[in-house]
Amino acid sequence: MSVTVEGPTDTAIATRLLRHAGLPAGTVYPMGGKAKLDEKLSGFNNAARNAPWFVLRDLDQDAACAPALVQRLLPAPARGMHLRISVHQGESWLLADTERIATFLGVPVSLVPLEPDTLLNAKQALINLARRSPSRDVRAALVPSEGSTALVGKQYTSVIAHFTEGDWRPGVAARRSDSLARCIRALQTLRP
């Protein structure tokens, strides 16, 4: 199965979800942002006529709900096209595994938002949790340096990918994230 995502953090999420669903991941195409992904979506949809495609995109503030965004982006999906939307960002799915993310960041579980799908900026919520970490390494990796215009720390992508691949439990996280639960159910229907 070919996979298309917005960026490198989503690559780790998508491959972990496929593994959780018992599906092999083929080539992963990180697009470098949702604008580029949206621009090429019709081409991926054409390719999905011959082979399955899993496309993962954030909802962000682009529509009132995931179904409305899917209808706008892909009104006529090919049989092999599986466009899934994380509400509102992929980081909300990571935060949904409250115990593991709290342990990973070294913060009390009581600080982790209980309803991550309601967060408009889950990435910022994750970074704010990292700011409260007693670990200097966690803060240095995930939090942008003071005075920086960067939105995330220099090692954000690699550290979050490490967490996603090794510690994140999609099945547990799906109990707190309806959008993740729907994604997992859809992927499980693709098993042979």
PDB file of all heavy atoms in Angstrom, residues 13-14 17 54 56-58 84-98 116-117 122 163 168-170 172-174 177-184 187:
ATOM      1  N   ILE A  13       3.399   8.342  12.111  1.00  0.00           N
ATOM      2  CA  ILE A  13       2.030   8.010  12.543  1.00  0.00           C
ATOM      3  C   ILE A  13       1.387   7.037  11.556  1.00  0.00           C
ATOM      4  O   ILE A  13       0.811   6.020  11.946  1.00  0.00           O
ATOM      5  CB  ILE A  13       1.182   9.284  12.702  1.00  0.00           C
ATOM      6  CG1 ILE A  13       1.699  10.122  13.877  1.00  0.00           C
ATOM      7  CG2 ILE A  13      -0.296   8.938  12.891  1.00  0.00           C
ATOM      8  CD1 ILE A  13       1.072  11.503  13.997  1.00  0.00           C
ATOM      9  N   ALA A  14       1.489   7.324  10.269  1.00  0.00           N
ATOM     10  CA  ALA A  14       0.861   6.477   9.246  1.00  0.00           C
ATOM     11  C   ALA A  14       1.449   5.065   9.244  1.00  0.00           C
ATOM     12  O   ALA A  14       0.702   4.081   9.194  1.00  0.00           O
ATOM     13  CB  ALA A  14       0.994   7.115   7.870  1.00  0.00           C
ATOM     14  N   LEU A  17       0.262   3.202  12.289  1.00  0.00           N
ATOM     15  CA  LEU A  17      -1.141   2.801  12.157  1.00  0.00           C
ATOM     16  C   LEU A  17      -1.297   1.594  11.242  1.00  0.00           C
ATOM     17  O   LEU A  17      -2.084   0.688  11.536  1.00  0.00           O
ATOM     18  CB  LEU A  17      -1.984   3.964  11.638  1.00  0.00           C
ATOM     19  CG  LEU A  17      -2.278   5.059  12.643  1.00  0.00           C
ATOM     20  CD1 LEU A  17      -2.963   6.237  11.968  1.00  0.00           C
ATOM     21  CD2 LEU A  17      -3.113   4.529  13.796  1.00  0.00           C
ATOM     22  N   PHE A  54      -3.252   5.038   1.034  1.00  0.00           N
ATOM     23  CA  PHE A  54      -3.659   5.565   2.335  1.00  0.00           C
ATOM     24  C   PHE A  54      -3.112   6.982   2.408  1.00  0.00           C
ATOM     25  O   PHE A  54      -1.905   7.201   2.322  1.00  0.00           O
ATOM     26  CB  PHE A  54      -3.092   4.690   3.454  1.00  0.00           C
ATOM     27  CG  PHE A  54      -3.241   5.242   4.851  1.00  0.00           C
ATOM     28  CD1 PHE A  54      -4.383   5.912   5.254  1.00  0.00           C
ATOM     29  CD2 PHE A  54      -2.231   5.055   5.775  1.00  0.00           C
ATOM     30  CE1 PHE A  54      -4.516   6.394   6.542  1.00  0.00           C
ATOM     31  CE2 PHE A  54      -2.345   5.527   7.070  1.00  0.00           C
ATOM     32  CZ  PHE A  54      -3.500   6.201   7.460  1.00  0.00           C
ATOM     33  N   LEU A  56      -3.091  10.452   4.687  1.00  0.00           N
ATOM     34  CA  LEU A  56      -3.360  10.994   6.017  1.00  0.00           C
ATOM     35  C   LEU A  56      -3.146  12.504   5.980  1.00  0.00           C
ATOM     36  O   LEU A  56      -2.085  12.977   5.566  1.00  0.00           O
ATOM     37  CB  LEU A  56      -2.429  10.348   7.044  1.00  0.00           C
ATOM     38  CG  LEU A  56      -2.589  10.793   8.490  1.00  0.00           C
ATOM     39  CD1 LEU A  56      -3.999  10.508   8.995  1.00  0.00           C
ATOM     40  CD2 LEU A  56      -1.557  10.085   9.359  1.00  0.00           C
ATOM     41  N   ARG A  57      -4.182  13.227   6.402  1.00  0.00           N
ATOM     42  CA  ARG A  57      -4.136  14.688   6.379  1.00  0.00           C
ATOM     43  C   ARG A  57      -4.762  15.225   7.653  1.00  0.00           C
ATOM     44  O   ARG A  57      -5.689  14.636   8.199  1.00  0.00           O
ATOM     45  CB  ARG A  57      -4.922  15.210   5.175  1.00  0.00           C
ATOM     46  CG  ARG A  57      -4.799  16.722   4.969  1.00  0.00           C
ATOM     47  CD  ARG A  57      -5.894  17.209   4.032  1.00  0.00           C
ATOM     48  NE  ARG A  57      -5.734  18.571   3.590  1.00  0.00           N
ATOM     49  CZ  ARG A  57      -6.109  19.637   4.302  1.00  0.00           C
ATOM     50  NH1 ARG A  57      -6.634  19.498   5.503  1.00  0.00           N
ATOM     51  NH2 ARG A  57      -5.960  20.851   3.804  1.00  0.00           N
ATOM     52  N   ASP A  58      -4.256  16.363   8.120  1.00  0.00           N
ATOM     53  CA  ASP A  58      -4.829  17.035   9.283  1.00  0.00           C
ATOM     54  C   ASP A  58      -6.055  17.840   8.870  1.00  0.00           C
ATOM     55  O   ASP A  58      -6.097  18.407   7.774  1.00  0.00           O
ATOM     56  CB  ASP A  58      -3.821  18.005   9.912  1.00  0.00           C
ATOM     57  CG  ASP A  58      -2.641  17.307  10.552  1.00  0.00           C
ATOM     58  OD1 ASP A  58      -2.693  16.092  10.775  1.00  0.00           O
ATOM     59  OD2 ASP A  58      -1.642  18.010  10.851  1.00  0.00           O
ATOM     60  N   ARG A  84      -7.876   9.634   5.146  1.00  0.00           N
ATOM     61  CA  ARG A  84      -8.272   9.727   6.548  1.00  0.00           C
ATOM     62  C   ARG A  84      -7.815  11.076   7.083  1.00  0.00           C
ATOM     63  O   ARG A  84      -6.727  11.561   6.742  1.00  0.00           O
ATOM     64  CB  ARG A  84      -7.674   8.605   7.386  1.00  0.00           C
ATOM     65  CG  ARG A  84      -8.008   7.201   6.911  1.00  0.00           C
ATOM     66  CD  ARG A  84      -9.461   6.919   6.657  1.00  0.00           C
ATOM     67  NE  ARG A  84     -10.315   7.194   7.797  1.00  0.00           N
ATOM     68  CZ  ARG A  84     -11.634   7.127   7.762  1.00  0.00           C
ATOM     69  NH1 ARG A  84     -12.260   6.810   6.648  1.00  0.00           N
ATOM     70  NH2 ARG A  84     -12.341   7.374   8.836  1.00  0.00           N
ATOM     71  N   ILE A  85      -8.637  11.659   7.947  1.00  0.00           N
ATOM     72  CA  ILE A  85      -8.391  12.994   8.488  1.00  0.00           C
ATOM     73  C   ILE A  85      -8.188  12.899   9.996  1.00  0.00           C
ATOM     74  O   ILE A  85      -9.053  12.365  10.708  1.00  0.00           O
ATOM     75  CB  ILE A  85      -9.575  13.940   8.189  1.00  0.00           C
ATOM     76  CG1 ILE A  85      -9.928  13.944   6.695  1.00  0.00           C
ATOM     77  CG2 ILE A  85      -9.297  15.339   8.717  1.00  0.00           C
ATOM     78  CD1 ILE A  85      -8.886  14.513   5.781  1.00  0.00           C
ATOM     79  N   SER A  86      -7.054  13.420  10.470  1.00  0.00           N
ATOM     80  CA  SER A  86      -6.862  13.505  11.922  1.00  0.00           C
ATOM     81  C   SER A  86      -7.459  14.824  12.399  1.00  0.00           C
ATOM     82  O   SER A  86      -7.316  15.855  11.759  1.00  0.00           O
ATOM     83  CB  SER A  86      -5.377  13.408  12.288  1.00  0.00           C
ATOM     84  OG  SER A  86      -4.628  14.407  11.648  1.00  0.00           O
ATOM     85  N   VAL A  87      -8.171  14.754  13.513  1.00  0.00           N
ATOM     86  CA  VAL A  87      -8.866  15.918  14.063  1.00  0.00           C
ATOM     87  C   VAL A  87      -8.138  16.347  15.328  1.00  0.00           C
ATOM     88  O   VAL A  87      -8.072  15.583  16.276  1.00  0.00           O
ATOM     89  CB  VAL A  87     -10.336  15.562  14.380  1.00  0.00           C
ATOM     90  CG1 VAL A  87     -11.059  16.726  15.023  1.00  0.00           C
ATOM     91  CG2 VAL A  87     -11.063  15.100  13.127  1.00  0.00           C
ATOM     92  N   HIS A  88      -7.630  17.499  15.342  1.00  0.00           N
ATOM     93  CA  HIS A  88      -7.382  18.495  14.308  1.00  0.00           C
ATOM     94  C   HIS A  88      -5.992  18.316  13.705  1.00  0.00           C
ATOM     95  O   HIS A  88      -5.724  18.805  12.619  1.00  0.00           O
ATOM     96  CB  HIS A  88      -7.529  19.905  14.883  1.00  0.00           C
ATOM     97  CG  HIS A  88      -8.961  20.320  15.051  1.00  0.00           C
ATOM     98  ND1 HIS A  88      -9.653  21.017  14.095  1.00  0.00           N
ATOM     99  CD2 HIS A  88      -9.851  20.109  16.043  1.00  0.00           C
ATOM    100  CE1 HIS A  88     -10.890  21.257  14.510  1.00  0.00           C
ATOM    101  NE2 HIS A  88     -11.026  20.717  15.683  1.00  0.00           N
ATOM    102  N   GLN A  89      -5.112  17.653  14.434  1.00  0.00           N
ATOM    103  CA  GLN A  89      -3.755  17.380  13.956  1.00  0.00           C
ATOM    104  C   GLN A  89      -3.336  15.989  14.417  1.00  0.00           C
ATOM    105  O   GLN A  89      -3.878  15.462  15.387  1.00  0.00           O
ATOM    106  CB  GLN A  89      -2.773  18.415  14.524  1.00  0.00           C
ATOM    107  CG  GLN A  89      -3.051  19.832  14.069  1.00  0.00           C
ATOM    108  CD  GLN A  89      -2.246  20.849  14.861  1.00  0.00           C
ATOM    109  OE1 GLN A  89      -2.124  20.746  16.072  1.00  0.00           O
ATOM    110  NE2 GLN A  89      -1.708  21.830  14.159  1.00  0.00           N
ATOM    111  N   GLY A  90      -2.353  15.433  13.730  1.00  0.00           N
ATOM    112  CA  GLY A  90      -1.855  14.112  14.105  1.00  0.00           C
ATOM    113  C   GLY A  90      -1.394  14.042  15.555  1.00  0.00           C
ATOM    114  O   GLY A  90      -1.528  13.009  16.209  1.00  0.00           O
ATOM    115  N   GLU A  91      -0.894  15.140  16.076  1.00  0.00           N
ATOM    116  CA  GLU A  91      -0.439  15.155  17.465  1.00  0.00           C
ATOM    117  C   GLU A  91      -1.582  14.891  18.438  1.00  0.00           C
ATOM    118  O   GLU A  91      -1.351  14.395  19.541  1.00  0.00           O
ATOM    119  CB  GLU A  91       0.237  16.491  17.796  1.00  0.00           C
ATOM    120  CG  GLU A  91       1.637  16.634  17.262  1.00  0.00           C
ATOM    121  CD  GLU A  91       1.718  17.096  15.808  1.00  0.00           C
ATOM    122  OE1 GLU A  91       0.662  17.235  15.149  1.00  0.00           O
ATOM    123  OE2 GLU A  91       2.841  17.305  15.326  1.00  0.00           O
ATOM    124  N   SER A  92      -2.826  15.191  18.031  1.00  0.00           N
ATOM    125  CA  SER A  92      -3.960  14.891  18.914  1.00  0.00           C
ATOM    126  C   SER A  92      -4.051  13.381  19.135  1.00  0.00           C
ATOM    127  O   SER A  92      -4.407  12.936  20.228  1.00  0.00           O
ATOM    128  CB  SER A  92      -5.260  15.456  18.354  1.00  0.00           C
ATOM    129  OG  SER A  92      -5.618  14.824  17.152  1.00  0.00           O
ATOM    130  N   TRP A  93      -3.735  12.597  18.113  1.00  0.00           N
ATOM    131  CA  TRP A  93      -3.768  11.149  18.249  1.00  0.00           C
ATOM    132  C   TRP A  93      -2.674  10.661  19.194  1.00  0.00           C
ATOM    133  O   TRP A  93      -2.860   9.712  19.943  1.00  0.00           O
ATOM    134  CB  TRP A  93      -3.626  10.486  16.883  1.00  0.00           C
ATOM    135  CG  TRP A  93      -4.813  10.686  15.988  1.00  0.00           C
ATOM    136  CD1 TRP A  93      -5.992  11.328  16.287  1.00  0.00           C
ATOM    137  CD2 TRP A  93      -4.936  10.244  14.646  1.00  0.00           C
ATOM    138  NE1 TRP A  93      -6.834  11.294  15.203  1.00  0.00           N
ATOM    139  CE2 TRP A  93      -6.220  10.640  14.179  1.00  0.00           C
ATOM    140  CE3 TRP A  93      -4.100   9.555  13.782  1.00  0.00           C
ATOM    141  CZ2 TRP A  93      -6.673  10.359  12.898  1.00  0.00           C
ATOM    142  CZ3 TRP A  93      -4.545   9.275  12.501  1.00  0.00           C
ATOM    143  CH2 TRP A  93      -5.820   9.675  12.067  1.00  0.00           C
ATOM    144  N   LEU A  94      -1.525  11.330  19.169  1.00  0.00           N
ATOM    145  CA  LEU A  94      -0.434  10.955  20.084  1.00  0.00           C
ATOM    146  C   LEU A  94      -0.798  11.310  21.518  1.00  0.00           C
ATOM    147  O   LEU A  94      -0.540  10.538  22.447  1.00  0.00           O
ATOM    148  CB  LEU A  94       0.865  11.643  19.666  1.00  0.00           C
ATOM    149  CG  LEU A  94       1.340  11.371  18.242  1.00  0.00           C
ATOM    150  CD1 LEU A  94       2.623  12.131  17.958  1.00  0.00           C
ATOM    151  CD2 LEU A  94       1.515   9.881  17.990  1.00  0.00           C
ATOM    152  N   LEU A  95      -1.395  12.477  21.711  1.00  0.00           N
ATOM    153  CA  LEU A  95      -1.804  12.909  23.050  1.00  0.00           C
ATOM    154  C   LEU A  95      -2.897  12.011  23.623  1.00  0.00           C
ATOM    155  O   LEU A  95      -3.062  11.932  24.844  1.00  0.00           O
ATOM    156  CB  LEU A  95      -2.297  14.354  23.015  1.00  0.00           C
ATOM    157  CG  LEU A  95      -1.231  15.426  22.805  1.00  0.00           C
ATOM    158  CD1 LEU A  95      -1.880  16.772  22.496  1.00  0.00           C
ATOM    159  CD2 LEU A  95      -0.310  15.528  24.007  1.00  0.00           C
ATOM    160  N   ALA A  96      -3.641  11.336  22.762  1.00  0.00           N
ATOM    161  CA  ALA A  96      -4.730  10.479  23.220  1.00  0.00           C
ATOM    162  C   ALA A  96      -4.229   9.274  24.011  1.00  0.00           C
ATOM    163  O   ALA A  96      -4.976   8.701  24.800  1.00  0.00           O
ATOM    164  CB  ALA A  96      -5.581  10.029  22.031  1.00  0.00           C
ATOM    165  N   ASP A  97      -2.980   8.887  23.839  1.00  0.00           N
ATOM    166  CA  ASP A  97      -2.376   7.850  24.689  1.00  0.00           C
ATOM    167  C   ASP A  97      -1.763   8.585  25.882  1.00  0.00           C
ATOM    168  O   ASP A  97      -0.556   8.769  25.979  1.00  0.00           O
ATOM    169  CB  ASP A  97      -1.326   7.047  23.915  1.00  0.00           C
ATOM    170  CG  ASP A  97      -0.815   5.839  24.689  1.00  0.00           C
ATOM    171  OD1 ASP A  97      -1.131   5.704  25.890  1.00  0.00           O
ATOM    172  OD2 ASP A  97      -0.070   5.036  24.084  1.00  0.00           O
ATOM    173  N   THR A  98      -2.636   9.021  26.782  1.00  0.00           N
ATOM    174  CA  THR A  98      -2.248   9.944  27.850  1.00  0.00           C
ATOM    175  C   THR A  98      -1.127   9.404  28.738  1.00  0.00           C
ATOM    176  O   THR A  98      -0.197  10.144  29.069  1.00  0.00           O
ATOM    177  CB  THR A  98      -3.461  10.316  28.726  1.00  0.00           C
ATOM    178  OG1 THR A  98      -4.060   9.121  29.228  1.00  0.00           O
ATOM    179  CG2 THR A  98      -4.475  11.112  27.948  1.00  0.00           C
ATOM    180  N   PRO A 116      -8.367  15.111  23.283  1.00  0.00           N
ATOM    181  CA  PRO A 116      -7.447  15.709  22.315  1.00  0.00           C
ATOM    182  C   PRO A 116      -8.076  16.099  20.981  1.00  0.00           C
ATOM    183  O   PRO A 116      -7.591  17.005  20.315  1.00  0.00           O
ATOM    184  CB  PRO A 116      -6.368  14.636  22.135  1.00  0.00           C
ATOM    185  CG  PRO A 116      -7.025  13.364  22.551  1.00  0.00           C
ATOM    186  CD  PRO A 116      -8.022  13.730  23.595  1.00  0.00           C
ATOM    187  N   ASP A 117      -9.170  15.442  20.583  1.00  0.00           N
ATOM    188  CA  ASP A 117      -9.815  15.811  19.315  1.00  0.00           C
ATOM    189  C   ASP A 117     -10.426  17.210  19.372  1.00  0.00           C
ATOM    190  O   ASP A 117     -10.739  17.786  18.337  1.00  0.00           O
ATOM    191  CB  ASP A 117     -10.905  14.803  18.938  1.00  0.00           C
ATOM    192  CG  ASP A 117     -10.350  13.533  18.301  1.00  0.00           C
ATOM    193  OD1 ASP A 117      -9.132  13.441  18.088  1.00  0.00           O
ATOM    194  OD2 ASP A 117     -11.154  12.623  18.016  1.00  0.00           O
ATOM    195  N   ALA A 122      -3.085  20.849  18.574  1.00  0.00           N
ATOM    196  CA  ALA A 122      -2.540  19.767  19.393  1.00  0.00           C
ATOM    197  C   ALA A 122      -1.013  19.797  19.416  1.00  0.00           C
ATOM    198  O   ALA A 122      -0.399  19.427  20.417  1.00  0.00           O
ATOM    199  CB  ALA A 122      -3.037  18.423  18.877  1.00  0.00           C
ATOM    200  N   PHE A 163       8.977   8.342  19.587  1.00  0.00           N
ATOM    201  CA  PHE A 163       7.854   8.040  20.480  1.00  0.00           C
ATOM    202  C   PHE A 163       6.775   7.256  19.736  1.00  0.00           C
ATOM    203  O   PHE A 163       6.264   6.251  20.227  1.00  0.00           O
ATOM    204  CB  PHE A 163       7.249   9.330  21.058  1.00  0.00           C
ATOM    205  CG  PHE A 163       5.930   9.111  21.729  1.00  0.00           C
ATOM    206  CD1 PHE A 163       5.859   8.525  22.977  1.00  0.00           C
ATOM    207  CD2 PHE A 163       4.746   9.460  21.092  1.00  0.00           C
ATOM    208  CE1 PHE A 163       4.630   8.282  23.594  1.00  0.00           C
ATOM    209  CE2 PHE A 163       3.513   9.226  21.695  1.00  0.00           C
ATOM    210  CZ  PHE A 163       3.462   8.646  22.949  1.00  0.00           C
ATOM    211  N   TRP A 168       3.981   4.719  21.431  1.00  0.00           N
ATOM    212  CA  TRP A 168       2.578   5.061  21.208  1.00  0.00           C
ATOM    213  C   TRP A 168       1.741   3.812  20.967  1.00  0.00           C
ATOM    214  O   TRP A 168       2.134   2.920  20.212  1.00  0.00           O
ATOM    215  CB  TRP A 168       2.483   6.005  20.021  1.00  0.00           C
ATOM    216  CG  TRP A 168       1.113   6.491  19.714  1.00  0.00           C
ATOM    217  CD1 TRP A 168       0.239   7.100  20.576  1.00  0.00           C
ATOM    218  CD2 TRP A 168       0.450   6.441  18.447  1.00  0.00           C
ATOM    219  NE1 TRP A 168      -0.918   7.430  19.902  1.00  0.00           N
ATOM    220  CE2 TRP A 168      -0.814   7.039  18.609  1.00  0.00           C
ATOM    221  CE3 TRP A 168       0.817   5.974  17.190  1.00  0.00           C
ATOM    222  CZ2 TRP A 168      -1.726   7.164  17.565  1.00  0.00           C
ATOM    223  CZ3 TRP A 168      -0.084   6.091  16.154  1.00  0.00           C
ATOM    224  CH2 TRP A 168      -1.339   6.688  16.345  1.00  0.00           C
ATOM    225  N   ARG A 169       0.579   3.767  21.609  1.00  0.00           N
ATOM    226  CA  ARG A 169      -0.344   2.638  21.475  1.00  0.00           C
ATOM    227  C   ARG A 169      -1.615   3.124  20.791  1.00  0.00           C
ATOM    228  O   ARG A 169      -2.526   3.648  21.448  1.00  0.00           O
ATOM    229  CB  ARG A 169      -0.670   2.067  22.849  1.00  0.00           C
ATOM    230  CG  ARG A 169       0.555   1.578  23.616  1.00  0.00           C
ATOM    231  CD  ARG A 169       0.229   1.246  25.043  1.00  0.00           C
ATOM    232  NE  ARG A 169      -0.249   2.444  25.748  1.00  0.00           N
ATOM    233  CZ  ARG A 169      -0.697   2.444  27.006  1.00  0.00           C
ATOM    234  NH1 ARG A 169      -0.746   1.332  27.693  1.00  0.00           N
ATOM    235  NH2 ARG A 169      -1.116   3.565  27.571  1.00  0.00           N
ATOM    236  N   PRO A 170      -1.717   2.944  19.475  1.00  0.00           N
ATOM    237  CA  PRO A 170      -2.897   3.422  18.759  1.00  0.00           C
ATOM    238  C   PRO A 170      -4.211   2.876  19.300  1.00  0.00           C
ATOM    239  O   PRO A 170      -5.204   3.608  19.381  1.00  0.00           O
ATOM    240  CB  PRO A 170      -2.664   2.968  17.319  1.00  0.00           C
ATOM    241  CG  PRO A 170      -1.193   2.807  17.202  1.00  0.00           C
ATOM    242  CD  PRO A 170      -0.729   2.367  18.558  1.00  0.00           C
ATOM    243  N   VAL A 172      -5.001   2.016  22.360  1.00  0.00           N
ATOM    244  CA  VAL A 172      -5.322   2.725  23.605  1.00  0.00           C
ATOM    245  C   VAL A 172      -5.737   4.159  23.284  1.00  0.00           C
ATOM    246  O   VAL A 172      -6.726   4.670  23.813  1.00  0.00           O
ATOM    247  CB  VAL A 172      -4.115   2.699  24.570  1.00  0.00           C
ATOM    248  CG1 VAL A 172      -4.344   3.615  25.766  1.00  0.00           C
ATOM    249  CG2 VAL A 172      -3.828   1.272  25.024  1.00  0.00           C
ATOM    250  N   ALA A 173      -4.996   4.809  22.412  1.00  0.00           N
ATOM    251  CA  ALA A 173      -5.282   6.189  22.051  1.00  0.00           C
ATOM    252  C   ALA A 173      -6.657   6.326  21.399  1.00  0.00           C
ATOM    253  O   ALA A 173      -7.339   7.345  21.579  1.00  0.00           O
ATOM    254  CB  ALA A 173      -4.192   6.726  21.120  1.00  0.00           C
ATOM    255  N   ALA A 174      -7.083   5.314  20.667  1.00  0.00           N
ATOM    256  CA  ALA A 174      -8.375   5.372  19.973  1.00  0.00           C
ATOM    257  C   ALA A 174      -9.543   5.475  20.944  1.00  0.00           C
ATOM    258  O   ALA A 174     -10.620   5.922  20.565  1.00  0.00           O
ATOM    259  CB  ALA A 174      -8.539   4.140  19.076  1.00  0.00           C
ATOM    260  N   SER A 177      -9.855   9.241  21.184  1.00  0.00           N
ATOM    261  CA  SER A 177      -9.917   9.993  19.932  1.00  0.00           C
ATOM    262  C   SER A 177     -10.827   9.274  18.946  1.00  0.00           C
ATOM    263  O   SER A 177     -10.448   8.227  18.395  1.00  0.00           O
ATOM    264  CB  SER A 177      -8.518  10.152  19.333  1.00  0.00           C
ATOM    265  OG  SER A 177      -8.600  10.671  18.020  1.00  0.00           O
ATOM    266  N   ASP A 178     -11.985   9.845  18.719  1.00  0.00           N
ATOM    267  CA  ASP A 178     -12.933   9.243  17.790  1.00  0.00           C
ATOM    268  C   ASP A 178     -12.382   9.231  16.367  1.00  0.00           C
ATOM    269  O   ASP A 178     -12.583   8.268  15.626  1.00  0.00           O
ATOM    270  CB  ASP A 178     -14.271   9.984  17.850  1.00  0.00           C
ATOM    271  CG  ASP A 178     -15.334   9.284  17.036  1.00  0.00           C
ATOM    272  OD1 ASP A 178     -15.535   8.071  17.239  1.00  0.00           O
ATOM    273  OD2 ASP A 178     -15.948   9.950  16.175  1.00  0.00           O
ATOM    274  N   SER A 179     -11.680  10.296  15.971  1.00  0.00           N
ATOM    275  CA  SER A 179     -11.139  10.324  14.608  1.00  0.00           C
ATOM    276  C   SER A 179     -10.093   9.234  14.414  1.00  0.00           C
ATOM    277  O   SER A 179     -10.019   8.618  13.352  1.00  0.00           O
ATOM    278  CB  SER A 179     -10.576  11.710  14.263  1.00  0.00           C
ATOM    279  OG  SER A 179      -9.430  12.032  15.012  1.00  0.00           O
ATOM    280  N   LEU A 180      -9.307   8.943  15.442  1.00  0.00           N
ATOM    281  CA  LEU A 180      -8.329   7.857  15.359  1.00  0.00           C
ATOM    282  C   LEU A 180      -9.040   6.506  15.322  1.00  0.00           C
ATOM    283  O   LEU A 180      -8.661   5.621  14.538  1.00  0.00           O
ATOM    284  CB  LEU A 180      -7.357   7.920  16.538  1.00  0.00           C
ATOM    285  CG  LEU A 180      -6.365   6.773  16.649  1.00  0.00           C
ATOM    286  CD1 LEU A 180      -5.495   6.653  15.398  1.00  0.00           C
ATOM    287  CD2 LEU A 180      -5.490   6.954  17.896  1.00  0.00           C
ATOM    288  N   ALA A 181     -10.054   6.332  16.134  1.00  0.00           N
ATOM    289  CA  ALA A 181     -10.801   5.066  16.140  1.00  0.00           C
ATOM    290  C   ALA A 181     -11.399   4.787  14.759  1.00  0.00           C
ATOM    291  O   ALA A 181     -11.333   3.655  14.260  1.00  0.00           O
ATOM    292  CB  ALA A 181     -11.898   5.105  17.202  1.00  0.00           C
ATOM    293  N   ARG A 182     -11.950   5.819  14.116  1.00  0.00           N
ATOM    294  CA  ARG A 182     -12.520   5.644  12.771  1.00  0.00           C
ATOM    295  C   ARG A 182     -11.433   5.279  11.765  1.00  0.00           C
ATOM    296  O   ARG A 182     -11.644   4.437  10.885  1.00  0.00           O
ATOM    297  CB  ARG A 182     -13.259   6.913  12.331  1.00  0.00           C
ATOM    298  CG  ARG A 182     -14.589   7.116  13.035  1.00  0.00           C
ATOM    299  CD  ARG A 182     -15.436   8.214  12.401  1.00  0.00           C
ATOM    300  NE  ARG A 182     -14.718   9.453  12.148  1.00  0.00           N
ATOM    301  CZ  ARG A 182     -14.647  10.467  13.007  1.00  0.00           C
ATOM    302  NH1 ARG A 182     -15.245  10.397  14.172  1.00  0.00           N
ATOM    303  NH2 ARG A 182     -13.977  11.557  12.690  1.00  0.00           N
ATOM    304  N   CYS A 183     -10.269   5.903  11.895  1.00  0.00           N
ATOM    305  CA  CYS A 183      -9.154   5.603  10.982  1.00  0.00           C
ATOM    306  C   CYS A 183      -8.723   4.146  11.131  1.00  0.00           C
ATOM    307  O   CYS A 183      -8.546   3.445  10.131  1.00  0.00           O
ATOM    308  CB  CYS A 183      -7.991   6.559  11.256  1.00  0.00           C
ATOM    309  SG  CYS A 183      -6.545   6.248  10.229  1.00  0.00           S
ATOM    310  N   ILE A 184      -8.574   3.698  12.367  1.00  0.00           N
ATOM    311  CA  ILE A 184      -8.142   2.322  12.599  1.00  0.00           C
ATOM    312  C   ILE A 184      -9.166   1.331  12.051  1.00  0.00           C
ATOM    313  O   ILE A 184      -8.814   0.350  11.392  1.00  0.00           O
ATOM    314  CB  ILE A 184      -7.883   2.085  14.110  1.00  0.00           C
ATOM    315  CG1 ILE A 184      -6.625   2.853  14.546  1.00  0.00           C
ATOM    316  CG2 ILE A 184      -7.739   0.598  14.413  1.00  0.00           C
ATOM    317  CD1 ILE A 184      -6.401   2.882  16.040  1.00  0.00           C
ATOM    318  N   LEU A 187      -8.840   1.181   8.301  1.00  0.00           N
ATOM    319  CA  LEU A 187      -7.652   0.440   7.877  1.00  0.00           C
ATOM    320  C   LEU A 187      -7.816  -1.063   8.086  1.00  0.00           C
ATOM    321  O   LEU A 187      -7.373  -1.859   7.256  1.00  0.00           O
ATOM    322  CB  LEU A 187      -6.415   0.956   8.616  1.00  0.00           C
ATOM    323  CG  LEU A 187      -5.931   2.344   8.230  1.00  0.00           C
ATOM    324  CD1 LEU A 187      -4.800   2.784   9.148  1.00  0.00           C
ATOM    325  CD2 LEU A 187      -5.498   2.393   6.775  1.00  0.00           C
TER     326      LEU A 187
END
